[in-house]
Amino acid sequence: EIVMTQSPATLSVSPGERATLSCRASESVNNNLAWYQQKPGQAPRLLIYGASTRATGISARLSGSGSGTEFTLTISSLQSEDFAVYYCQQYNYWYTFGQGTKLEIK
Amino acid sequence: QVQLVESGGGVVQPGRSLRLSCAASGFTFRNYGMHWVRQAPGKGLEWVAVTSHDGSNQYYADSVRGRFTISRDNSKNTLYLQMNSLRAEDTAVYYCAKGHSSSGGGYIDYWGQGTLVTVSS
């Protein structure tokens, strides 16, 4: 099983600043990596697929990068709606999720 | 717009069975693979199962293989999850989710709101 490890577990950032979330795979997943956002009581929402392609309707303030085993989700100029939990998921070999990063207001 | 509406959750005793349903609309259901993903209370996401667009292929997480069965009825635009021999550790919100491809491989692009299954005596 491919293990996905996200860091940090919690990230405290002030509105208007930039947040950088990391995701590491235990083996190469090529660029078969997606990012999802989940707010309390809601279903996850697709943000990024193919490691760097924004899903329909997703703000250009969000960007994904990386390939192989190291991936990053960057959110610039943080707004109130960005504070949530973020999950990465590999779909190169079956499907596994990271444990999530909680992005909270500083 | 894509809508996925789960039903069938509830409280069930260990060892018993439960069947979840997911009614799909807003897209051509028969063309896409479909998933079930679960989330235990206060925990992260765990992929459970996937079926191909025509139901000919199904794959399962190790934790549920042999106990859960994913199926679909394309004439009714409905996805199912039959859960047998339920355990306390199966307690979770179960999400129905749409794959972006016909095989079900690849990323998930839409999620339902989930249905809560509680396994307790």
Side-chain angles (χ1 to χ4, degrees):
Chain A
E1 176 184 322
I2 298 177
V3 177
M4 306 300 292
T5 303
Q6 293 185 240
S7 61
T10 303
L11 182 61
S12 299
V13 184
S14 299
E17 296 189 340
R18 174 187 299 185
T20 302
L21 290 67
S22 296
C23 176
R24 173 178 293 177
S26 60
E27 61 185 86
S28 176
V29 298
N30 299 300
N31 68 338
N32 295 314
L33 192 285
W35 290 93
Y36 301 90
Q37 177 195 66
Q38 187 178 34
K39 296 180 179 180
Q42 296 185 18
R45 179 174 69 144
L46 174 67
L47 302 174
I48 300 283
Y49 62 90
S52 61
T53 303
R54 279 187 297 276
T56 303
I58 300 303
S59 170
R61 297 184 297 104
L62 279 69
S63 63
S65 63
S67 65
T69 61
E70 299 284 345
F71 301 90
T72 300
L73 175 68
T74 302
I75 310 172
S76 62
S77 188
L78 279 165
Q79 300 181 4
S80 58
E81 62 263 30
D82 298 324
F83 294 96
V85 178
Y86 291 82
Y87 293 96
C88 63
Q89 179 211 19
Q90 69 82 18
Y91 50 91
N92 190 66
Y93 183 74
W94 302 118
Y95 315 91
T96 47
F97 292 89
Q99 80 281 17
T101 290
K102 181 180 181 181
L103 179 58
E104 63 177 26
I105 300 174
K106 186 175 182 180
Chain B
Q1 71 280 23
V2 173
Q3 280 200 311
L4 300 168
V5 180
E6 301 93 338
S7 60
V11 180
V12 61
Q13 294 179 328
R16 303 297 291 265
S17 299
L18 203 62
R19 189 177 83 157
L20 306 182
S21 299
C22 170
S25 61
F27 65 103
T28 305
F29 182 71
R30 65 179 180 273
N31 286 353
Y32 293 93
M34 295 293 295
H35 300 255
W36 287 100
V37 178
R38 67 184 181 183
Q39 186 170 36
K43 303 298 184 182
L45 300 167
E46 179 189 14
W47 174 77
V48 172
V50 63
T51 179
S52 57
H53 68 103
D54 59 0
S56 62
N57 293 293
Q58 305 87 31
Y59 302 97
Y60 300 91
D62 289 344
S63 57
V64 307
R65 187 176 295 115
R67 300 187 300 123
F68 289 12
T69 301
I70 187 172
S71 63
R72 62 192 297 161
D73 185 337
N74 286 346
S75 68
K76 296 182 178 179
N77 288 352
T78 302
L79 177 72
Y80 302 101
L81 185 67
Q82 177 68 43
M83 304 185 294
N84 298 333
S85 302
L86 282 161
R87 306 166 180 168
E89 54 265 36
D90 296 319
T91 294
V93 173
Y94 284 74
Y95 293 103
C96 165
K98 173 184 171 294
H100 93 284
S101 73
S102 61
S103 68
Y107 57 91
I108 289 169
D109 52 10
Y110 292 95
W111 301 66
Q113 285 302 304
T115 187
L116 176 62
V117 173
T118 302
V119 184
S120 173
S121 55

